[in-house]
Amino acid sequence: MGVGAAIHELIGIAVHDFPADESSRRLARVLAVSKEDIRLVASKYLAPDRVRILVEGNAAAIKNQIASLGLGVVDVIASQRR
């Protein structure tokens, strides 16, 4: 965490009057979330036929890794940047 992010976190704790250990408690809650928890929530709230996942990067390096996730067809779109 950079200095700016740490300051932002501390300001949020002060503004919302959270306990001083809120950052570590929040981290513990996030780390307690399992892959299965994410799958259950996703299956309840996301419609796979309406979801698009966008990934930016070197297609040659990551396309096979993304395809191995079994999320559907992987379309590669060339960047318009120069």
Side-chain angles (χ1 to χ4, degrees):
M1 177 183 301
V3 173
I7 290 171
H8 181 75
E9 180 79 12
L10 292 172
I11 289 171
I13 289 170
V15 167
H16 298 289
D17 199 27
F18 291 143
D21 65 344
E22 177 62 20
S23 290
S24 59
R25 291 173 15 157
R26 184 178 302 150
L27 178 59
R29 290 192 305 268
V30 169
L31 293 175
V33 175
S34 70
K35 289 180 183 180
E36 185 58 26
D37 294 332
I38 294 169
R39 281 189 185 96
L40 288 171
V41 171
S43 69
K44 181 175 181 178
Y45 293 104
L46 299 178
D49 59 326
R50 298 181 61 198
V51 172
R52 300 293 178 260
I53 301 171
L54 303 174
V55 178
E56 181 179 3
N58 179 335
I62 62 175
K63 181 180 178 182
N64 290 338
Q65 293 172 337
I66 294 170
S68 73
L69 297 173
L71 300 173
V73 176
V74 176
D75 291 323
V76 176
I77 302 169
S79 172
Q80 299 295 323
R81 291 187 285 173
R82 296 176 195 207

